[in-house]
Amino acid sequence: MKKNCFPGTLVLLFVLLGNCSFAQDFSNKGKDFWVGYGYHQVMNAGNGQNMVLYFATDQVTNITISIPGTGYTQNITSPAGNNIITSAIIPKAGMQDARLMTEGIQNKGIHITSDKPMVAYAHIYNASVSGSCLLFPTNTLGKEYYSINFKNISNSDPANCWFYVVAVDTGTTSVEITPSANTVGGWQAGNTYTVNLTQGQIYNVMGILTGNSTPCGPNTFTGVDLTGSKIRSISASGVCKRIGVFSGSGRISITSTDCQSSSDNYMVQSFPKSAWGKKYLTTPTEGATNNMGSNYFRICVADPTTVVRVNGAIITGLTNNFYYELSPTKIPNLIEADKPITVAQYITTQGQFNNGSPGDPEMIYLSPVEQTISKVIFNSNLLVATPSSSHQHNVSVVIPNGGTALSSFRLDGATPPVPFTVHPQDPGYSYIKISGLSQGQHIIESDSGFNAIAYGYAQAESYGYNAGTNVKDLFQFISVRNQYATVNFPATCKGSPFYFSMTFPYEPTQIQWVFGAALNTMGIADVTLNNPVFDSSWTVSGKQLYRYKLPTPYTISNSGTYPIRVNATNPTPDGCSGNQEIDFDVQVFDPPTADFNFNTNGCITSPVQFTDNSAGNGRTINNWFWSFGDGNNNTSNNNPTHTYNAAGSYLVKYAIRTDVGCISDTASRTVVLNNAPLAKFGLTTPLCAGKPVTFSDTSTASGSNTLVKWTWNFGEGTPVIATNNASQTHTYSNPGVYTASLQVETSSGCASTVFSRQITINANPVAGFNLPAICMPSGAAQFNDQSTVAGGTI
């Protein structure tokens, strides 16, 4: 059968259901990552900490971990199925020591690559003093960041707060860094410094320590807060390169008194400024008391004139022209702004703000509602404290109420164990907090996008991270116009035409599409557009965007992942003027395979059950089309039932479509239905009590069907079921009116309607006569009949 050769009604329906164009969005699942071995206080107090990497995979995956600057390499292969894989411990001594303990350039970037998409995490721990974070794939990274930290109070010394930047592109990456506080290396707050890095090099920045805190006493150690430090890539040789930025603390307490208590290190990867949003919906973390935790929030602005509202009210009190701080609260909040902002949520030290125990400090970057994802693999396995029975793992989700978002939401394939709650600040959204998760990998998914955070506690320990987000540049992105796709990343189908377009926050003077050798060999040549003209324009968050579409449709003949680069000349006078390099992967998928079976008794009176046996070939099937052959269709589910109105032979056709817009061939099966058999019987006479009555079957079956079952009910006693003798005899003991019935059934299970008739069973007559009184031999005797009958006449 020719590929995608549907009946016209199928094509029309898929057109009506289809969507058209989606921007280049990226999830936290990828094949290339960079990270560093961030500072932990114990590095200067015995070096007992360790760093490992975790990988959540759903198929056999070959993973390589390398530190190019030190020559270190390790290889891992994950088994088939859903798994959490742990790396070997990252070197912390000797020639391959990867620790970031001093300020300055260090050739210690950790590079992670894999042959299949996966989710990656970093974890640095010493006993219960552990911190972990989710890693963002390299293709999600941007060029401008801000560090977000917190007041660095600790019960151990030295416990600096820090941030570092890692160069991820080849060539020279020039980076401007403006610290918000004085640093260990002598940098002054507010001054801008430029450093040049090569791929894999890190510039590590550490805030100064400020000594013991009074009146807290000699065991409280303090350091500066680096929140608001700005890091951005600038033109080097006319090109801005991507960078990754991480923030954290070697050890920190977050308390109600600003005095030391139980403390923990933390680490988090920063969102690029281009991925900030204008609307955030928060939920409190699960707490040890009152079923809810109190959380600090910091709301960060790049432009001090940004108007920020919390639950509808404008807030004031901007600190360092960069952030507003919300006091610990247990209330779900709506945070909105007229310009892009980013929001950080903090878990406090255990026992603080009535949060009880266990738990410890943690910081989580939140995603705006503009950055959602519909499926997340996350790891509830980032605690090292013993015993493991004390570990608590949780996930919180914010999701829109529209359509089937809530009803389709699943945790590990099942309906969540607790209900959703309408968000009190925005009735268009609901949230759910699921506690008591088992240790290991979990999957949450819905047919609609959502935001999620995952977090957990043990005694004097915690972890927390943004579990689900698309990290998309809201202002500059690639689009693949694949007519039926419902995913937010560049994807298309093998052999199906699509269009490329590119959106910029400026009007480039030249755009060059570099498709790469693999696509070049398929006849897809590189394209250079001089003085291009945009085909559409719109405004996002006050910034004008321009879209440039390639006019020619493209078709890729082989499935796979193809790297593509867009080079654009930016004429604007910003830090990244000149040549822009935008790299992305277009993923080409095989179409799904449609298949089904059906269950019927062959009878027109019974519905036919259809069962989907299709394969999505690695993608989620999200549309089904059934043509039942009688003019009726179904698109609501994959396992429908259908009742036909007349006997006959029906050609049923079935096609499916995946979330990336790939359409299957049409599968077809023939359903043959017959009229139901007719039950009927006759009676022999006489119909007298105590005498056998013969019930003679005269039932019929249509077509080639054969009757195999007769269910008799004589109106008294237990029905008789016969399988090889159609006619029956029955003796009624007493006269009366009885309803006798018969139902017959064919070998396929098709049953007739019940045929019944009333019969009257008569009483038997009673013979009698009188004896005459006579005198012999005077005359003849007279015998008189005295017989009786209850019904009828003799």
Side-chain angles (χ1 to χ4, degrees):
M1 181 177 294
K2 186 178 179 181
K3 192 66 72 176
N4 296 339
C5 186
F6 299 100
T9 52
L10 277 100
V11 173
L12 174 61
L13 183 73
F14 274 128
V15 169
L16 292 175
L17 292 176
N19 293 303
C20 290
S21 181
F22 287 88
Q24 179 192 17
D25 299 351
F26 295 104
S27 74
N28 47 10
K29 196 174 184 182
K31 298 193 294 184
D32 192 287
F33 306 82
W34 285 91
V35 69
Y37 195 159
Y39 178 67
H40 189 296
Q41 177 265 334
V42 177
M43 290 178 180
N44 280 307
N47 200 24
Q49 86 298 323
N50 290 312
M51 178 179 182
V52 295
L53 303 169
Y54 299 103
F55 308 105
T57 63
D58 54 12
Q59 57 188 314
V60 175
T61 305
N62 297 304
I63 304 166
T64 298
I65 304 165
S66 63
I67 307 176
T70 68
Y72 173 80
T73 300
Q74 65 168 288
N75 297 302
I76 304 172
T77 298
S78 74
N82 293 324
N83 294 280
I84 296 292
I85 308 300
T86 305
S87 75
I89 293 173
I90 302 300
K92 60 179 182 179
M95 296 298 294
Q96 295 183 330
D97 187 354
R99 296 173 300 161
L100 302 177
M101 298 179 62
T102 59
E103 185 164 308
I105 295 177
Q106 301 178 55
N107 205 14
K108 296 180 178 182
I110 302 169
H111 193 200
I112 305 158
T113 60
S114 65
D115 63 344
K116 301 290 192 308
M118 63 181 184
V119 179
Y121 307 83
H123 191 190
I124 301 173
Y125 59 90
N126 170 256
S128 61
V129 184
S130 69
S132 57
C133 73
L134 178 75
L135 305 183
F136 297 153
T138 303
N139 58 6
T140 71
L141 302 181
K143 299 167 184 176
E144 183 174 342
Y145 295 82
Y146 289 83
S147 181
I148 303 177
N149 302 79
F150 206 73
K151 294 172 286 188
N152 213 87
I153 298 163
S154 178
N155 59 359
S156 300
D157 189 49
N160 315 68
C161 74
W162 51 262
F163 66 85
Y164 64 81
V165 54
V166 55
V168 303
D169 285 332
T170 57
T172 299
T173 300
S174 291
V175 182
E176 281 186 353
I177 302 174
T178 306
S180 64
N182 294 343
T183 74
V184 169
W187 283 3
Q188 299 297 303
N191 290 346
T192 298
Y193 304 87
T194 300
V195 298
N196 292 317
L197 306 174
T198 59
Q199 187 180 48
Q201 285 189 325
I202 288 174
Y203 197 93
N204 188 45
V205 178
M206 302 181 71
I208 63 169
L209 302 173
T210 55
N212 292 349
S213 174
T214 57
C216 296
N219 293 321
T220 296
F221 304 93
T222 61
V224 298
D225 181 352
L226 287 171
T227 297
S229 299
K230 184 178 181 179
I231 309 99
R232 69 168 185 161
S233 173
I234 59 174
S235 292
S237 302
V239 179
C240 279
K241 304 286 188 176
R242 294 171 299 177
I243 54 176
V245 173
F246 292 76
S247 302
S249 172
R251 197 154 181 164
I252 191 171
S253 295
I254 301 179
T255 70
S256 58
T257 61
D258 286 347
C259 295
Q260 64 85 14
S261 182
S262 173
S263 62
D264 213 345
N265 67 309
Y266 80 86
M267 55 190 294
V268 62
Q269 185 165 8
S270 301
F271 284 115
K273 181 189 170 187
S274 59
W276 292 12
K278 296 170 66 177
K279 179 178 179 179
Y280 294 76
L281 289 165
T282 75
T283 62
T285 54
E286 193 74 14
T289 60
N290 299 327
N291 199 37
M292 193 176 294
S294 290
N295 303 116
Y296 275 107
F297 292 89
R298 280 189 174 180
I299 305 166
C300 304
V301 301
D303 183 346
T305 65
T306 303
V307 178
V308 178
R309 288 177 168 83
V310 177
N311 302 329
I314 295 176
I315 60 173
T316 58
L318 187 65
T319 301
N320 292 338
N321 281 330
F322 182 69
Y323 71 90
Y324 299 95
E325 184 171 287
L326 303 185
S327 299
T329 177
K330 296 182 178 182
I331 299 173
N333 289 308
L334 167 63
I335 301 171
E336 297 176 291
D338 64 343
K339 299 173 185 176
I341 59 174
T342 193
V343 177
Q345 182 170 359
Y346 299 84
I347 300 173
T348 68
T349 296
Q350 67 179 31
Q352 299 294 313
F353 305 103
N354 298 315
N355 282 344
S357 176
D360 241 2
E362 192 59 64
M363 180 185 127
I364 305 170
Y365 278 106
L366 301 184
S367 293
V369 298
E370 297 96 326
Q371 304 270 26
T372 62
I373 194 167
S374 59
K375 183 176 182 179
V376 170
I377 302 174
F378 67 94
N379 181 16
S380 295
N381 192 35
L382 304 177
L383 297 169
V384 296
T386 55
S388 60
S389 59
S390 68
H391 295 181
Q392 300 177 14
H393 303 286
N394 316 279
V395 65
S396 297
V397 177
V398 175
I399 190 169
N401 292 330
T404 56
L406 302 183
S407 62
S408 65
F409 184 85
R410 295 292 183 269
L411 167 66
D412 298 328
T415 301
V418 293
F420 281 91
T421 300
V422 174
H423 199 286
Q425 310 301 336
D426 189 335
Y429 289 80
S430 289
Y431 71 92
I432 189 173
K433 296 191 300 175
I434 305 172
S435 59
L437 295 176
S438 60
Q439 180 171 298
Q441 178 172 303
H442 297 283
I443 298 174
I444 51 177
E445 57 188 323
S446 171
D447 64 9
S448 300
F450 55 81
N451 300 125
I453 59 173
Y455 52 98
Y457 312 119
Q459 187 61 36
E461 185 185 7
S462 65
Y463 72 87
Y465 57 89
N466 188 315
T469 185
N470 270 322
V471 187
K472 63 184 178 184
D473 188 327
L474 297 176
F475 308 112
Q476 181 169 270
F477 50 83
I478 188 78
S479 297
V480 171
R481 192 173 185 268
N482 177 5
Q483 186 174 15
Y484 306 120
T486 58
V487 294
N488 289 341
F489 64 90
T492 189
C493 306
K494 183 177 73 174
S496 296
F498 65 93
Y499 289 87
F500 281 119
S501 63
M502 185 72 205
T503 298
F504 300 95
Y506 54 86
E507 296 181 71
T509 56
Q510 184 186 76
I511 304 173
Q512 182 184 27
W513 291 80
V514 182
F515 291 111
L519 293 180
N520 291 158
T521 60
M522 297 182 198
I524 300 178
D526 296 347
V527 176
T528 298
L529 303 175
N530 294 309
N531 299 313
V533 178
F534 59 86
D535 65 279
S536 61
S537 179
W538 64 96
T539 301
V540 173
S541 298
K543 186 172 291 189
Q544 194 71 20
L545 304 186
Y546 307 90
R547 190 183 73 175
Y548 298 82
K549 176 185 173 184
L550 289 177
T552 303
Y554 290 88
T555 300
I556 299 177
S557 56
N558 297 318
S559 58
T561 300
Y562 299 91
I564 296 174
R565 169 172 289 180
V566 175
N567 296 322
T569 303
N570 178 6
T572 61
D574 64 15
C576 280
S577 60
N579 189 37
Q580 293 273 311
E581 294 181 351
I582 303 100
D583 294 289
F584 68 96
D585 292 336
V586 60
Q587 297 184 53
V588 182
F589 293 91
D590 288 316
T593 304
D595 186 31
F596 71 96
N597 58 25
F598 61 89
N599 184 35
T600 177
N601 60 13
C603 187
I604 191 63
T605 58
S606 300
V608 180
Q609 174 66 59
F610 294 93
T611 303
D612 174 44
N613 295 325
S614 301
N617 294 335
R619 298 305 308 177
T620 300
I621 300 170
N622 63 353
N623 282 114
W624 310 269
F625 181 81
W626 297 89
S627 175
F628 295 121
D630 62 350
N632 292 302
N633 305 318
N634 183 290
T635 60
S636 60
N637 62 68
N638 58 329
N639 295 309
T641 60
H642 182 65
T643 300
Y644 291 85
N645 295 323
S649 179
Y650 298 93
L651 182 62
V652 178
K653 298 178 181 180
Y654 179 46
I656 56 175
R657 191 178 68 209
T658 60
D659 57 352
V660 294
C662 295
I663 302 173
S664 70
D665 280 344
T666 301
S668 60
R669 302 281 188 276
T670 299
V671 177
V672 178
L673 298 174
N674 295 291
N675 288 316
L678 295 175
K680 196 171 183 181
F681 61 86
L683 301 170
T684 62
T685 57
L687 302 177
C688 300
K691 293 182 172 61
V693 178
T694 299
F695 292 81
S696 301
D697 174 57
T698 57
S699 303
T700 58
S702 63
S704 60
N705 287 323
T706 303
L707 296 177
V708 296
K709 182 179 178 182
W710 296 259
T711 301
W712 295 93
N713 190 329
F714 301 116
E716 64 172 7
T718 303
V720 174
I721 299 175
T723 58
N724 56 10
N725 183 9
S727 297
Q728 295 287 316
T729 60
H730 181 72
T731 301
Y732 291 91
S733 301
N734 301 305
V737 178
Y738 297 87
T739 300
S741 64
L742 171 64
Q743 185 178 43
V744 294
E745 190 173 318
T746 67
S747 57
S748 64
C750 184
S752 70
T753 58
V754 176
F755 174 78
S756 61
R757 57 188 292 185
Q758 284 190 335
I759 61 174
T760 300
I761 300 299
N762 297 293
N764 290 299
V766 178
F769 60 91
N770 64 347
L771 295 173
I774 60 172
C775 294
M776 294 295 292
S778 60
Q782 177 66 46
F783 289 85
N784 295 314
D785 176 40
Q786 293 183 337
S787 300
T788 59
V789 63
T793 58
I794 298 174

